[in-house]
Amino acid sequence: MHTLNLGILAHVDAGKTSLTERLLHTAGIIDEIGRVDDGNTRTDSLALERRRGITIKSAVVSFPLDDVTVNLIDTPGHPDFIAEVERVLGVLDGAVLVVSAVEGVQAQTRVLMRTLQRLRIPTLIFVNKTDRAGARHAPVLREIAERLTPRAVAMGPAPTGLGTRAAHGPAHADDDPVLTARLTDLLTRHDDALLAAYVEGDGTLAPGRLRRALAEQTGRALVHPVYAGSAFTGAGTDDLVRGIRELLPGAQGDPDGEVSGTVFKVERGRSGEKLAWVRMFSGTVRTRDRLPFGPGPGALSEDRVTGIRVFDGGTDTPAGSVGPGRIAKLTGLGAVRIGDTLGTTGTAGPAHHFAPPTLESVVVPTAPAGRGDLHAALAQLAEQDPLIGLRQDDVREEISVSLYGEVQKEVVQATLAEEYGIGVTFRATTTICLERPTGSGAAYEIIDTGDNPFLATVGLRVDPAPPGSGVSYAREVELGSMPYSLMRAVEDTVVETLAQGLYGWRVTDCAVTMTHSGYWPRQSHAHGTFDKSMSSTAGDFRLLTPLVLMDALRRAGTTVYEPVHRFRAEIPADTLGPLLPVLARLRAVPGPPSPDGTVCVLEGEIPADRVHDLQQRLPGLTRGEGVLETAFHTHRPVTGTPPHRSRTDHNPLDRKEYLIHTVRRTGTGGGPG
């Protein structure tokens, strides 16, 4: 048997979890199909998921399809939990994208399809809910072709009884002339040999050859077969199962090769132990193996694997080993993080496929004495979701958490209450901006000169860099001019300090260069005692670097950029007039409207912090008929007065205040002189 790691993805409420239940029932894993509304589905195991009726955490369940073992991964559909989807994408062999026959192609559907295509993940499309009132077939196929991909091919006719519980539409037989014509037209566009065979064969191709070509091109993510049916009634799911079994490629890998795998999920067991969810690509991991892991070469840790659980028969079971293509839970890797690679040949973790959070909110415990417990609990939540960032302000004794939206905030609040017994409230959500250098600036401090109390010489220059390049660091001083530990202290501190720029936002897209360096070698008294007052330490460089860097940054200047979303609104044409002034008040910049009969399409940009307001106001402005899609697009310079963010450090922008805190705290008094 071979293994297929299959993702189920969709816009919220399109029926992903219901389809998962139907597939498990078809495979004989469950005797009765659970319902999201009843809170008894197999993959929505969290109490919060059952109560809210949405998927929050990805879940894996395994089942056999003839000679294929399918590891089926159910993912969240709500955009607030897009980080869960992101982590799954890197471990998939194939995907089923679910589209509702009632609502059609929705905002999140388009985001997901674009990402699946960019990553070239083989994808089938399942048009679900054909039994629901208002279900459509031909219009949804047109939406798929126009808004998702023109390379989709319907594998069956329009269902009979559409919109009723009797709706049913079997797939075409392989030799059906309608399907043959569709496949021939689409597949010959991507296969010259197939086109030549078609021409030489008097305009005909054997059904078997077409089916093989369909499997080959589906496996290369060139075409996307479309099935239709109902997860609730089971109509059309047998045809989908055949497509999964025959058209999606299985996992590959050498069980005797070097160990290689990816950690895509981390959670805590009942006893608090860390569980690493791993997709294996090659090699075999056994219990008690010492396993290297880390974010990339040169950054490896090593721990002993104390337990392995593999997914089989609808649940996870203990195992002595796990080989390529399989998904397993490993225990014993205490320092492992999401995105880590297993094995010594690992490369950097998977790049983000979706935008990072653009919102944040201060979390306030209802019991002030619980701040320590709150921080520990939030740290565990961030450990399970690396796109949720924590920002601790020790000066104000506050913790901020970065988020995607208001629903995620509610889930975090409920999770803290139910799993950790911590009651919290949130302050108003604010936007996460960033800063970029406006020009170039340089500064330096010389050891034992002026009012420099630290036994260190540091000079830094800040230059702007291309958008999206992040932060780079270089040296114009000789690497051997002082010990490497001191050099590294400067570099590490530069990265830490740039988390807060002139206005308190993270500084990015800049190049920092070390221009000056100097230190006092280790000094000892005659009896051999180390004399710190005459010897440079890494601490001197860590404390001086923020002063120099912020001085250079101040000379360079920075511009604050706010996150901006692209929006697409489909509205009744006669509601455009009332909508435009609202968009202006929300600082949105719409493009020219595109009228299409009684419908008008409006596209443009809107600040991220105004998206929620637009979502709330659009139904009232469009008689409930408006459809809005938004997605993060870019960062734009803030017009007017730049927003400030409160600092969480000792503020190296205020030299006097900074020195009062750092010198007093460390007891640094400078060297002789």
Side-chain angles (χ1 to χ4, degrees):
M1 295 183 70
H2 68 270
T3 302
L4 169 67
N5 294 295
L6 178 70
I8 305 290
L9 298 89
H11 188 100
V12 65
D13 288 335
K16 294 182 317 334
T17 302
S18 297
L19 179 59
T20 298
E21 291 287 305
R22 174 60 62 178
L23 293 175
L24 294 178
H25 183 265
T26 300
I29 297 299
I30 56 177
D31 296 326
E32 185 176 348
I33 296 176
R35 298 188 63 213
V36 173
D37 293 342
D38 296 337
N40 60 353
T41 58
R42 173 64 69 94
T43 52
D44 285 345
S45 57
L46 298 178
L48 188 58
E49 291 178 312
R50 296 179 185 277
R51 190 168 64 252
R52 293 186 68 104
I54 60 173
T55 301
I56 297 171
K57 296 290 185 182
S58 57
V60 178
V61 63
S62 181
F63 60 90
L65 285 180
D66 295 336
D67 61 341
V68 180
T69 296
V70 177
N71 290 325
L72 192 150
I73 308 175
D74 185 20
T75 61
H78 198 285
D80 280 13
F81 307 106
I82 197 67
E84 281 290 314
V85 181
E86 172 175 354
R87 292 192 288 275
V88 167
L89 292 177
V91 306
L92 296 183
D93 302 308
V96 174
L97 183 65
V98 184
V99 178
S100 168
V102 179
E103 289 83 8
V105 173
Q106 297 171 277
Q108 189 74 350
T109 322
R110 299 180 71 188
V111 171
L112 292 169
M113 189 63 184
R114 283 198 298 267
T115 307
L116 290 166
Q117 289 176 314
R118 185 166 63 248
L119 298 176
R120 302 191 68 81
I121 295 175
T123 302
L124 309 181
I125 298 173
F126 183 67
V127 179
N128 191 28
K129 300 186 178 181
T130 56
D131 61 311
R132 298 288 183 89
R136 303 165 298 144
H137 184 69
V140 172
L141 292 180
R142 283 196 298 271
E143 289 181 24
I144 290 172
E146 293 170 1
R147 302 177 66 185
L148 291 184
T149 172
R151 297 176 296 180
V153 56
M155 299 300 289
T160 58
L162 194 65
T164 70
R165 293 292 171 86
H168 186 65
H172 286 296
D174 287 353
D175 58 353
D176 184 281
V178 175
L179 179 61
T180 297
R182 288 177 186 167
L183 292 179
T184 300
D185 178 59
L186 182 62
L187 299 177
T188 52
R189 301 178 196 175
H190 308 288
D191 188 332
D192 291 341
L194 193 67
L195 177 60
Y198 171 75
V199 173
E200 295 168 2
D202 298 324
T204 60
L205 288 169
R209 178 157 190 179
L210 278 175
R211 190 76 184 185
R212 290 191 297 274
L214 177 63
E216 191 269 337
Q217 293 192 27
T218 301
R220 292 167 55 203
L222 294 175
V223 301
H224 305 286
V226 180
Y227 299 86
S230 166
F232 182 77
T233 66
T237 55
D238 287 343
D239 302 317
L240 175 64
V241 166
R242 183 191 176 196
I244 292 171
R245 185 177 64 247
E246 297 180 359
L247 302 180
L248 295 180
Q252 305 292 324
D254 179 5
D256 299 319
E258 285 198 59
V259 169
S260 175
T262 295
V263 178
F264 68 94
K265 181 174 179 176
V266 171
E267 63 181 8
R268 295 279 176 171
R270 294 180 179 178
S271 303
E273 76 278 14
K274 188 176 285 189
L275 305 175
W277 294 51
V278 174
R279 155 71 195 264
M280 294 293 298
F281 291 100
S282 71
T284 301
V285 173
R286 298 173 178 83
T287 306
R288 303 192 61 77
D289 280 355
R290 291 199 64 83
L291 185 62
F293 58 89
L300 294 177
S301 302
E302 189 173 277
D303 275 323
R304 190 179 299 280
V305 177
T306 58
I308 299 174
R309 299 185 70 88
V310 298
F311 291 90
D312 190 26
T315 186
D316 56 295
T317 58
S321 64
V322 57
R326 302 297 300 272
I327 290 177
K329 296 180 186 178
L330 305 184
T331 54
L333 310 182
V336 75
R337 295 177 59 84
I338 291 174
D340 279 357
T341 301
L342 306 184
T344 57
T345 59
T347 57
H352 292 326
H353 309 305
F354 301 99
T358 57
L359 305 173
E360 72 174 357
S361 181
V362 174
V363 189
V364 182
T366 53
R371 294 187 186 277
D373 292 338
L374 173 60
H375 185 271
L378 286 172
Q380 281 201 8
L381 293 183
E383 175 184 80
Q384 299 168 23
D385 189 343
L387 293 187
I388 290 181
L390 298 184
R391 185 172 180 268
Q392 178 147 349
D393 186 339
D394 293 327
V395 177
R396 295 168 182 77
E397 296 185 343
E398 295 177 348
I399 303 174
S400 299
V401 59
S402 56
L403 302 163
Y404 280 99
E406 297 299 315
V407 172
Q408 189 180 24
K409 182 194 292 186
E410 296 170 14
V411 169
V412 170
Q413 184 179 36
T415 302
L416 289 171
E418 295 177 7
E419 296 187 14
Y420 298 91
I422 302 173
V424 300
T425 58
F426 288 85
R427 293 188 189 157
T429 302
T430 57
T431 305
I432 301 175
C433 298
L434 56 81
E435 297 180 47
R436 291 178 173 137
T438 306
S440 298
Y444 62 88
E445 299 255 0
I446 304 299
I447 192 170
D448 196 28
T449 302
D451 62 346
N452 176 9
F454 307 110
L455 302 186
T457 292
V458 174
L460 297 169
R461 185 178 68 246
V462 175
D463 297 300
S469 61
V471 176
S472 64
Y473 183 81
R475 302 182 186 91
E476 287 182 353
V477 298
E478 291 290 338
L479 184 59
S481 62
M482 64 182 189
Y484 179 73
S485 62
L486 305 184
M487 289 283 193
R488 188 59 187 263
V490 175
E491 182 175 354
D492 291 345
T493 306
V494 164
V495 175
E496 295 169 6
T497 304
L498 288 177
Q500 301 179 88
L502 303 182
Y503 297 93
W505 306 104
R506 179 176 61 88
V507 182
T508 187
D509 301 334
C510 67
V512 180
T513 305
M514 188 176 189
T515 58
H516 297 69
S517 66
Y519 77 111
W520 281 357
R522 183 181 181 94
Q523 302 290 325
S524 301
H525 296 294
H527 48 73
T529 304
F530 171 56
D531 186 355
K532 182 183 182 303
S533 67
M534 299 179 64
S535 308
S536 299
T537 67
D540 289 299
F541 287 86
R542 291 193 188 99
L543 293 172
L544 179 59
T545 296
L547 281 176
V548 177
L549 180 59
M550 296 311 289
D551 191 9
L553 193 64
R554 182 158 34 202
R555 296 167 190 259
T558 64
T559 301
V560 177
Y561 288 72
E562 64 179 342
V564 173
H565 284 225
R566 288 286 301 175
F567 75 86
R568 184 181 191 275
E570 294 183 8
I571 60 173
D574 61 347
T575 65
L576 177 63
L579 178 61
L580 289 176
V582 173
L583 291 174
R585 287 195 292 272
L586 295 177
R587 296 195 293 121
V589 182
S594 301
D596 183 10
T598 60
V599 176
C600 179
V601 177
L602 197 62
E603 296 185 350
E605 297 180 352
I606 182 171
D609 62 344
R610 305 303 175 96
V611 170
H612 185 66
D613 287 344
L614 181 57
Q615 291 170 335
Q616 297 297 309
R617 301 189 65 173
L618 188 69
L621 292 166
T622 60
R623 301 187 298 272
E625 299 177 35
V627 177
L628 179 68
E629 298 178 13
T630 66
F632 172 79
H633 176 54
T634 188
H635 284 85
R636 299 285 189 210
V638 172
T639 56
T641 304
H644 278 74
R645 187 194 212 184
S646 59
R647 301 189 70 89
T648 62
D649 56 13
H650 293 298
N651 193 11
L653 290 168
D654 186 333
R655 184 182 184 90
K656 180 178 179 181
E657 186 71 16
Y658 180 83
L659 291 178
I660 287 174
H661 285 286
T662 56
V663 175
R664 180 181 300 165
R665 177 166 58 87
T666 62
T668 303

